[in-house]
Amino acid sequence: MHKNAFAIHGDIVWSKNPKELQTVEGGYLIVVDGISKGVYPQIPAEYQGITVVDRTGMLVIPGMSDIHVHAPQYGFRGLGMDLELLDWLNTHTFPEESKYANPEYAWRAYQIFSDDLLHSATTRAVVFGTMHVDATMTLMGKLETTGLKTMVGKVNMDRNSPDYLCEKDAATALEDTKKWLDEVEDSHFENTKPILTPRFTPTCSDELMEGLGKLRAERDLPLQSHLSENLSEIDWVKGLCPWSTCYGQTYEHFGQLAGDQPVIMAHCNWCPDNEVEILKENNVFVAHCPQSNAQLSSGIAPIRHYMDLGMNVGIGTDVAGGATLSMFRAMADAVAVSKLRWRLVDQNLAALSTEEAFYLATVGGGKVFGKVGSFDEGYEVDALVLDDSQIKTPLELTLAERLERYVYLAEEGGRIVEKYVAGRRVL
Amino acid sequence: MHKNAFAIHGDIVWSKNPKELQTVEGGYLIVVDGISKGVYPQIPAEYQGITVVDRTGMLVIPGMSDIHVHAPQYGFRGLGMDLELLDWLNTHTFPEESKYANPEYAWRAYQIFSDDLLHSATTRAVVFGTMHVDATMTLMGKLETTGLKTMVGKVNMDRNSPDYLCEKDAATALEDTKKWLDEVEDSHFENTKPILTPRFTPTCSDELMEGLGKLRAERDLPLQSHLSENLSEIDWVKGLCPWSTCYGQTYEHFGQLAGDQPVIMAHCNWCPDNEVEILKENNVFVAHCPQSNAQLSSGIAPIRHYMDLGMNVGIGTDVAGGATLSMFRAMADAVAVSKLRWRLVDQNLAALSTEEAFYLATVGGGKVFGKVGSFDEGYEVDALVLDDSQIKTPLELTLAERLERYVYLAEEGGRIVEKYVAGRRVL
């Protein structure tokens, strides 16, 4: 008899590949020690007798990986989206992030973020905190208790930032970062891991960038940042790093892209060919954030191009550039903006299909965390049980159609009934 | 003492003009015989003693006018959005609309549409039915009982349509239309009015177009159709009407734009200057449908240009080109696509602000129905009472910020508590 084994019974959908869904109506997803043993129309002989979670008639799909989200910006989601990136940072974002110097404010605000993330479709997330060590520890502690698997970064920024939100100098920034990493180690979190987080090249001195590159190598740490989001930002980087061949090379130059631990670069809307080459060579994950890129008037990333090149791509909500934590909404937005890009910018790059957006939100981003985002045998089981019965229609729908519709109508009658992370129920 | 008078007490927000909101925290909206007598910080002396609906702490805003929505497409919302307009019509839309020849199917499907529209933010709507008289009467009957104010059209289409969804010839089409109009008259609907509805030039013969133009003049009827949505559609019209100076002129030529009753043209994504001139001269309402125009890869309408010219503009959800009836989502989409258009197409046309989108969804589209969409004195009171307390934040927000945030987060914790149409509570 298998210990720690159970099955989820329902209408199961996951990605076979970027273009195709795999569907088993009334199927059984077998989970042993948090790992998928596959999906079957009947429980296989060797698993007879295991507990069955009966969710007949409900959709069962992989959990989503939101690979770019700013926890301290959650408080002003849906507000102040009348500016482009650099003005938006100075007007709305930096003043808000500075409040996280106050532990009590951080505690209240991160409680809301953690609660809402737990109730969202996200099972894994790659998260920006602020530059504050204490607040970042608070955030990590709260996320730990949700049972969601996350990578969380204390932000580094030691130049071109307002006095009230700027690390004193590179040495202090690196010292604080090490202090934070040591605290994390002492905390023995099971679900929450640290990730190095230079905010972006404009706010990080060469000395800080170099120090973070070394730290990545020494401690074998993942790293996240922003890249080629906005045209003014790109011009600024050219001015700050006249020696660089492209914005992306400013990270590569300081050793931040090399190594086996994942690197996530948010946006990549305007990468020149040599930058794309650097991303591809270093297996960097592109975090596509369609809603944010529209709301901050940044542009539309050529995701089709990156997929054609076989690059690593996932999806991020980028709260508060994006207004919501909904990864369903992020998928729908990814499809929508890819169509506008095809129509208005470049008809050589076909629009994304809903199936492709689903693949990016599950398997694509899940790869940051290992074998995550699929129900194929050997994957960690992150799963959502969804009730779509209140999205009314007179039509008989196939399972694939129910999934497609859920992507567009999750917030219009859909309901997350249960949520599993690595085989453990968290909701 | 005033009969039929009451006040709604809450945090009241409406448009002062396209660029500015008017806000009264803890205010009183005075309603007499369905008409606004204004909003006051205290109940004025002459209204002392009237019933007060106490909604302290809740948002009170005008209802929305969805000025372009296809009721028979609601069943497949969120599905089949992998095609452009003309293929989408033939593959998904026409087969579905043909089912409305079956009265039982129409009854079931329109019940769902009417229920969901009642529970949405929409208080007024301009609605496409199908070509079927009986089904259209069923739709009108159901909408009548919701208490929402609507204009509903039996669709006309007598060419370039599949055999299973095509009127026999222009004479039959016009006869059926008159029969339908007579039935509507006999029904004495209070809330539901007929609107002439040539589907679009490609599916309407010259004889039919001419007949509908005459009918509009004879019976003083409003009219709705589609215009310059998609580039292939526009080419097609050029081929079908080689005599025309532009697509829009094919409606004008047959007398469909002249007269006092409103004309609504959906989309207007690609209007040349002479077409814009025709729309402006005839006071035509442009129904901006941002989600549909993205999902069908159609483009982005230059709404800023139309607003600068002082034209009539409102917003439509265009279900099922758009997936949802949410006018909040439609507002957010209008802002988002205008930013992408600014970034990617034409930096001479500034993006829309949230305030402007709110104006278009309330006052702009409300004008189709008369003095609707504002709380200024003399307007019919369409109102929504909204609970935004479950959209959590550690911030203290102004009333204007609460409204702005609600536009982006309506489906993420917002709740419509009550709904009034012309002063009557419908929800």
Side-chain angles (χ1 to χ4, degrees):
Chain A
M1 190 60 196
H2 293 272
K3 281 188 194 165
N4 300 319
F6 70 101
I8 305 176
H9 177 54
D11 296 333
I12 306 177
V13 190
W14 72 106
S15 285
K16 183 188 282 182
N17 57 50
K19 296 202 178 302
E20 287 172 288
L21 298 175
Q22 194 129 331
T23 63
V24 184
E25 215 164 328
Y28 294 83
L29 166 60
I30 310 292
V31 188
V32 178
D33 292 329
I35 306 295
S36 172
K37 297 294 172 181
V39 177
Y40 305 90
Q42 300 295 337
I43 296 185
E46 63 168 315
Y47 298 110
Q48 288 293 340
I50 64 173
T51 303
V52 175
V53 179
D54 185 357
R55 295 294 169 251
T56 301
M58 292 191 183
L59 286 169
V60 181
I61 69 171
M64 311 287 153
S65 290
D66 180 349
I67 69 167
H68 185 66
V69 57
H70 291 262
Q73 296 173 17
Y74 192 62
F76 71 97
R77 68 197 182 284
L79 291 172
M81 290 197 280
D82 51 340
L83 299 169
E84 277 194 86
L85 176 67
L86 301 177
D87 290 332
W88 176 81
L89 285 172
N90 284 309
T91 308
H92 298 296
T93 309
F94 291 158
E96 177 63 18
E97 288 196 13
S98 73
K99 295 181 189 168
Y100 288 76
N102 176 349
E104 193 274 332
Y105 189 84
W107 199 96
R108 276 195 299 139
Y110 283 149
Q111 187 64 50
I112 296 172
F113 173 77
S114 302
D115 284 347
D116 284 4
L117 193 69
L118 175 60
H119 288 86
S120 77
T122 297
T123 52
R124 314 244 171 178
V126 185
V127 184
F128 269 61
T130 60
M131 58 172 252
H132 313 98
V133 172
D134 289 352
T136 305
M137 288 307 298
T138 299
L139 173 59
M140 294 181 85
K142 289 195 178 296
L143 287 171
E144 174 71 13
T145 63
T146 62
L148 305 176
K149 301 273 186 192
T150 59
M151 295 181 185
V152 178
K154 173 213 147 0
V155 171
N156 286 118
M157 48 199 299
D158 73 337
R159 69 170 176 183
N160 296 319
S161 306
D163 287 344
Y164 60 80
L165 188 73
C166 189
E167 296 178 291
K168 197 180 145 217
D169 51 34
T172 312
L174 291 166
E175 204 175 294
D176 275 1
T177 303
K178 286 175 192 166
K179 181 181 157 232
W180 165 64
L181 290 169
D182 292 342
E183 278 191 43
V184 171
E185 208 170 303
D186 292 344
S187 300
H188 300 288
F189 293 134
E190 186 190 344
N191 303 313
T192 317
K193 304 289 172 203
I195 180 168
L196 292 176
T197 306
R199 180 163 212 126
F200 64 158
T201 300
T203 62
C204 298
S205 66
D206 290 359
E207 194 186 339
L208 175 55
M209 291 289 271
E210 191 173 352
L212 290 171
K214 283 187 183 151
L215 206 50
R216 171 168 158 82
E218 281 166 25
R219 303 212 187 183
D220 196 27
L221 287 166
L223 183 143
Q224 64 181 341
S225 195
H226 298 92
L227 180 62
S228 293
E229 176 176 1
N230 167 289
L231 294 173
S232 305
E233 170 208 17
I234 295 168
D235 279 348
W236 195 13
V237 172
K238 264 186 207 146
L240 290 167
C241 307
W243 47 265
S244 64
T245 59
C246 61
Y247 185 173
Q249 197 246 339
T250 65
Y251 298 104
E252 187 193 36
H253 176 79
F254 292 113
Q256 298 192 350
L257 307 187
D260 291 332
Q261 287 293 323
V263 175
I264 300 102
M265 286 287 162
H267 309 304
C268 302
N269 294 326
W270 302 98
C271 301
D273 287 347
N274 60 335
E275 191 164 284
V276 173
E277 195 49 46
I278 289 172
L279 297 177
K280 186 172 152 55
E281 270 174 17
N282 290 283
N283 301 311
V284 169
F285 284 83
V286 172
H288 178 40
C289 306
Q291 186 178 148
S292 169
N293 294 334
Q295 293 298 356
L296 297 179
S297 305
S298 301
I300 303 173
I303 297 303
R304 167 70 60 208
H305 180 49
Y306 302 152
M307 289 178 78
D308 285 349
L309 291 171
M311 289 168 58
N312 284 324
V313 182
I315 293 181
T317 59
D318 193 26
V319 163
T324 148
L325 292 173
S326 170
M327 284 292 287
F328 290 112
R329 174 65 186 273
M331 281 186 251
D333 287 338
V335 173
V337 300
S338 76
K339 289 171 175 173
L340 290 175
R341 196 179 194 285
W342 171 83
R343 170 84 278 157
L344 301 172
V345 178
D346 182 357
Q347 296 194 21
N348 292 313
L349 295 181
L352 302 183
S353 65
T354 310
E355 289 83 354
E356 286 172 317
F358 181 68
Y359 177 88
L360 295 178
T362 54
V363 183
K367 205 175 159 190
V368 170
F369 295 88
K371 292 193 81 168
V372 170
S374 169
F375 292 150
D376 286 350
E377 198 175 336
Y379 274 76
E380 294 187 57
V381 175
D382 286 15
L384 304 174
V385 178
L386 306 175
D387 178 3
D388 64 340
S389 65
Q390 296 310 303
I391 310 175
K392 300 274 172 83
T393 179
L395 301 178
E396 295 284 332
L397 301 179
T398 66
L399 191 37
E401 285 173 331
R402 286 171 58 198
L403 185 274
E404 179 184 3
R405 191 179 71 146
Y406 201 97
V407 169
Y408 293 95
L409 299 172
E411 281 76 37
E412 303 272 341
R415 188 168 68 88
I416 299 173
V417 175
E418 280 176 16
K419 187 165 156 177
Y420 296 81
V421 179
R424 201 171 70 180
R425 186 168 168 190
V426 298
L427 192 74
Chain B
M1 190 61 194
H2 292 272
K3 280 187 196 165
N4 300 318
F6 69 102
I8 305 176
H9 177 54
D11 296 333
I12 305 176
V13 190
W14 73 107
S15 286
K16 183 187 283 183
N17 56 49
K19 296 203 179 301
E20 288 172 286
L21 297 175
Q22 194 129 331
T23 63
V24 184
E25 215 163 327
Y28 294 83
L29 165 60
I30 310 291
V31 187
V32 178
D33 292 329
I35 305 295
S36 171
K37 296 293 172 181
V39 177
Y40 306 91
Q42 300 295 337
I43 297 185
E46 62 168 314
Y47 298 110
Q48 288 294 339
I50 63 172
T51 302
V52 175
V53 179
D54 185 358
R55 295 293 169 252
T56 301
M58 292 193 182
L59 286 169
V60 181
I61 69 170
M64 310 287 153
S65 290
D66 180 350
I67 69 168
H68 186 65
V69 57
H70 291 262
Q73 296 174 17
Y74 192 61
F76 71 97
R77 67 197 182 283
L79 291 172
M81 290 197 280
D82 52 339
L83 300 170
E84 278 193 86
L85 175 67
L86 301 177
D87 290 332
W88 176 82
L89 285 172
N90 284 309
T91 308
H92 298 296
T93 308
F94 291 158
E96 178 62 18
E97 288 195 12
S98 73
K99 296 181 189 168
Y100 288 75
N102 176 347
E104 193 273 332
Y105 188 84
W107 199 96
R108 276 195 301 138
Y110 283 149
Q111 186 65 49
I112 295 172
F113 173 78
S114 302
D115 283 348
D116 284 4
L117 193 69
L118 175 59
H119 289 86
S120 77
T122 297
T123 50
R124 314 246 171 176
V126 184
V127 184
F128 269 62
T130 61
M131 58 172 251
H132 312 98
V133 173
D134 289 353
T136 305
M137 289 306 299
T138 298
L139 173 60
M140 294 179 85
K142 289 196 178 296
L143 287 172
E144 174 71 15
T145 63
T146 62
L148 306 176
K149 301 273 184 193
T150 59
M151 295 181 186
V152 178
K154 173 213 148 0
V155 171
N156 286 117
M157 48 198 301
D158 73 338
R159 68 170 177 183
N160 296 320
S161 306
D163 287 345
Y164 60 80
L165 189 73
C166 189
E167 297 179 291
K168 198 179 143 216
D169 51 34
T172 312
L174 292 165
E175 204 175 294
D176 274 2
T177 303
K178 287 175 192 166
K179 183 181 155 234
W180 165 64
L181 291 169
D182 292 342
E183 278 192 42
V184 172
E185 208 170 306
D186 291 345
S187 299
H188 300 288
F189 293 134
E190 187 190 343
N191 302 314
T192 318
K193 304 289 172 203
I195 180 168
L196 292 175
T197 306
R199 180 163 213 126
F200 64 158
T201 300
T203 63
C204 299
S205 66
D206 289 0
E207 195 186 338
L208 176 54
M209 292 288 271
E210 192 174 352
L212 290 171
K214 283 186 182 152
L215 206 51
R216 171 168 159 81
E218 281 166 24
R219 302 212 188 184
D220 196 28
L221 286 166
L223 182 143
Q224 65 181 341
S225 194
H226 298 92
L227 180 63
S228 294
E229 176 175 2
N230 167 291
L231 294 173
S232 305
E233 170 208 17
I234 295 167
D235 280 347
W236 195 14
V237 172
K238 264 185 206 146
L240 290 166
C241 306
W243 47 266
S244 64
T245 59
C246 62
Y247 186 174
Q249 197 245 339
T250 66
Y251 297 105
E252 186 193 37
H253 176 79
F254 293 113
Q256 297 191 350
L257 307 187
D260 292 331
Q261 286 292 323
V263 175
I264 300 102
M265 285 288 161
H267 310 303
C268 303
N269 294 325
W270 302 98
C271 301
D273 287 347
N274 60 335
E275 192 164 283
V276 173
E277 195 50 45
I278 289 171
L279 297 176
K280 186 171 152 55
E281 268 173 19
N282 290 281
N283 301 310
V284 169
F285 285 83
V286 172
H288 179 40
C289 306
Q291 186 178 148
S292 170
N293 294 333
Q295 294 297 357
L296 297 179
S297 304
S298 301
I300 303 173
I303 296 303
R304 167 69 60 208
H305 181 49
Y306 301 152
M307 289 178 79
D308 285 348
L309 290 172
M311 288 167 59
N312 284 322
V313 182
I315 293 181
T317 60
D318 194 25
V319 164
T324 148
L325 291 173
S326 170
M327 284 292 288
F328 290 113
R329 174 66 186 271
M331 280 185 254
D333 287 337
V335 173
V337 301
S338 76
K339 289 171 175 173
L340 290 175
R341 195 178 196 285
W342 171 82
R343 170 84 279 156
L344 301 173
V345 179
D346 182 359
Q347 296 194 22
N348 291 314
L349 295 181
L352 301 184
S353 66
T354 310
E355 289 83 354
E356 286 172 317
F358 180 68
Y359 177 88
L360 295 179
T362 54
V363 183
K367 204 175 158 190
V368 170
F369 295 88
K371 292 193 81 167
V372 170
S374 169
F375 292 151
D376 286 349
E377 198 176 336
Y379 274 76
E380 294 187 57
V381 175
D382 286 16
L384 305 174
V385 178
L386 306 175
D387 178 3
D388 63 340
S389 66
Q390 296 311 303
I391 310 176
K392 300 274 173 84
T393 179
L395 302 178
E396 295 284 332
L397 301 180
T398 66
L399 191 38
E401 286 173 330
R402 286 171 59 198
L403 186 274
E404 178 184 4
R405 190 179 72 145
Y406 201 97
V407 168
Y408 294 94
L409 299 172
E411 281 76 37
E412 304 273 341
R415 188 168 67 90
I416 299 172
V417 176
E418 280 175 19
K419 187 166 156 178
Y420 296 80
V421 180
R424 201 170 71 180
R425 186 169 168 189
V426 297
L427 192 73

